[in-house]
Amino acid sequence: MKPISLTNTEQKDSDKQSQAQLIEQGQLPDHIAIIMDGNGRWAKSRGNLRSYGHKAGVDSVRDITEACAQLGVSYLTLYAFSTENWRRPKIEVNALMRLLASSLRKEAENLNENDIRLETIGQIDRFPDKCRRELQEVVELTKDNKRLNLCLALSYSGRWDIKEAVKKLAHQVKEGDIDPEDINDDLISCHLSTADIPDPDLIIRTSGEYRLSNFLLWQLAYSELYITETYWPDFRRKELYKAIHSFQKRERRFGKLPNNEQESKSKLHIQELTT
Ligand code: IPE
Ligand code: IPE
Ligand code: MG
């Protein structure tokens, strides 16, 4: 496979080694979701305007996307703009829209050449025409790509997502297409905006905030959480490797007993019940 290059720099041998080590030492998350937070504080700590932080954040997006593609992570979902972010001052919202449109224009070919598919979730119709067009063009251009699925959450919120799914299901019940009793976890999942994407295995939040801020509320039910104090513009691949390493050391139990106890305890339990 052709080596991936989004950052236009040759991959260092030490980085290749770090990636090989991660791949060897455990299972990689198939889907990583990230709440990219702290751009404003990063800029302020340098005496700069918030928009400077958003701009620097784009370099982190490029680096993390490239590292995920190199590692063989299948899905990367980035929380880039929440439904609530529309409440920010117009000047900041406009700067973010301009940055999104220009970044998409610059990166479109690069994403395509590297076999990366771009998708979006959220209320894209709320975006200015120019942004929406750029988005649609990149989504169309990259739709057959297979190496990494990069999903941008734009004007997204978990509650909006669930609300829309509930509306669709309510209509189907009203039309008599489904019975209320047919509604189960899978049916809800496949009516969410993430219907084609598996639930995240690992959710990372930068900038030390311990909250979900209305991100994938349904989909994160059993995702592993990783929170770092690092602001998003400083979050580069080495930080990503730390997060993945932490993920690899966890045991995901999904409500069951630990792996080494599950089998023996259930036998014991049957014995207890039958004696
Ligand atoms: C995240 O950085 C980017 C967006 C929410 C668009 P912030 O802009 O929230 O930065 P802080 O949290 O104020 O530092
Ligand atoms: C969450 O960050 C949204 C994105 C990263 C796009 P916010 O900065 O908007 O979250 P709060 O307001 O601190 O919860
Ligand atoms: Mg923030």
Side-chain angles (χ1 to χ4, degrees), residues 219-244:
Q219 298 88 334
L220 293 176
Y222 267 106
S223 308
E224 294 295 324
L225 298 168
Y226 181 88
I227 293 169
T228 169
E229 296 295 320
T230 307
Y231 294 143
W232 176 249
D234 284 332
F235 190 91
R236 299 297 163 92
R237 60 185 65 207
K238 283 199 175 131
E239 294 273 336
L240 175 76
Y241 301 160
K242 275 195 225 164
I244 295 177

Side-chain angles (χ1 to χ4, degrees), residues 37-38 41 88 205:
D37 198 17
R41 279 164 284 167
R88 292 192 179 190
R205 181 163 189 154

Side-chain angles (χ1 to χ4, degrees), residues 46-98:
R46 286 166 169 71
N48 271 310
L49 295 173
R50 294 177 59 80
S51 55
Y52 179 71
H54 296 314
K55 233 171 149 178
V58 177
D59 295 333
S60 293
V61 171
R62 206 179 293 108
D63 192 51
I64 297 304
T65 306
E66 182 180 273
C68 282
Q70 286 166 336
L71 280 166
V73 169
S74 310
Y75 299 89
L76 174 65
T77 300
L78 301 176
Y79 202 11
F81 193 83
S82 73
T83 309
E84 289 78 22
N85 288 150
W86 288 113
R87 296 185 196 144
R88 292 192 179 190
K90 212 167 179 289
I91 189 162
E92 177 162 354
V93 171
N94 287 345
L96 279 164
M97 298 298 139
R98 276 200 304 276

